[in-house]
Amino acid sequence: LGKMAVALCKLFYKAKLIWENLGPPGVTFGQTVIGLGYLNLYRKIKVDKMGQPRSDTYGFNPAGHGKGVALRDYNAALSRRECQNLSQDALEETLVFRYADAGEIVHSGEVGGKGSRARENHGDMVMADAMGWKLVKEEGRLVFLGKLKAKEKQSDLPEPRTAAGRMKM
């Protein structure tokens, strides 16, 4: 999968790549991508107490508060219509997330997920969308459809479902 991701990034003008760097699959994916020499990657820079860069980590690790922050930010962007998701399946998957007793956001399949349930999909599409939104937001490449000039109409915008439409946007 890492080889295909790099090929797609190169196809889309050396696009920045973000992935969930958690567990053996995420680590292996990252090692493959870096091993191929592709370095236009999302990275989190850790700083010391003096504010100096200490180390950096490629990929997004949703451990701790990271997952909740990313999901809340993505939810807010969808609500404000800053982010538009055209996938009905992905949007329906957002509905299975809820707050657990400790206040953390979890996929309903995670609660008590032991045995065979532990291997099920736990919101992969939503996490991918949230990471994509995180990258777009941090790169500063937002298009606000709600703030179009008075003479512009949403119907005047190019069709984003085509390559030509995305390039025109």
Side-chain angles (χ1 to χ4, degrees):
L1 186 60
K3 291 178 183 179
M4 289 191 301
V6 168
L8 283 170
C9 286
K10 288 179 178 180
L11 180 67
F12 287 99
Y13 308 100
K14 297 185 181 176
K16 185 166 267 192
L17 179 62
I18 186 170
W19 73 96
E20 193 171 4
N21 191 8
L22 182 67
V27 172
T28 301
F29 179 90
Q31 289 172 341
T32 301
V33 168
I34 293 167
L36 291 169
Y38 194 79
L39 296 177
N40 192 15
L41 309 171
Y42 172 84
R43 66 182 187 161
K44 181 175 183 174
I45 299 173
K46 297 177 184 176
V47 294
D48 62 19
K49 292 179 182 178
M50 302 298 287
Q52 297 298 313
R54 184 172 53 115
S55 67
D56 57 7
T57 306
Y58 290 108
F60 174 72
N61 190 326
H65 297 294
K67 178 180 178 180
V69 170
L71 290 173
R72 278 190 285 279
D73 195 35
Y74 175 56
N75 180 41
L78 287 172
S79 298
R80 290 188 306 257
R81 305 188 117 191
E82 292 174 344
C83 178
Q84 182 183 16
N85 191 331
L86 301 176
S87 169
Q88 187 69 29
D89 291 338
L91 290 172
E92 286 176 5
E93 189 174 277
T94 64
L95 301 175
V96 297
F97 281 87
R98 65 179 186 84
Y99 284 97
D101 295 335
E104 60 190 317
I105 299 174
V106 296
H107 186 280
S108 61
E110 289 180 61
V111 180
K114 295 182 180 178
S116 64
R117 291 207 53 122
R119 299 178 194 266
E120 290 180 13
N121 173 330
H122 296 302
D124 292 341
M125 286 188 289
V126 176
M127 280 308 300
D129 291 340
M131 289 186 296
W133 172 250
K134 179 178 185 56
L135 191 59
V136 167
K137 184 179 174 190
E138 290 181 10
E139 290 290 309
R141 296 180 183 170
L142 302 178
V143 176
F144 293 96
L145 297 178
K147 297 182 180 180
L148 296 173
K149 296 176 186 172
K151 64 181 179 180
E152 294 177 311
K153 297 179 183 172
Q154 191 164 343
S155 60
D156 294 337
L157 293 174
E159 177 59 46
R161 294 182 186 146
T162 66
R166 285 190 298 274
M167 289 179 74
K168 188 172 180 183
M169 286 180 76

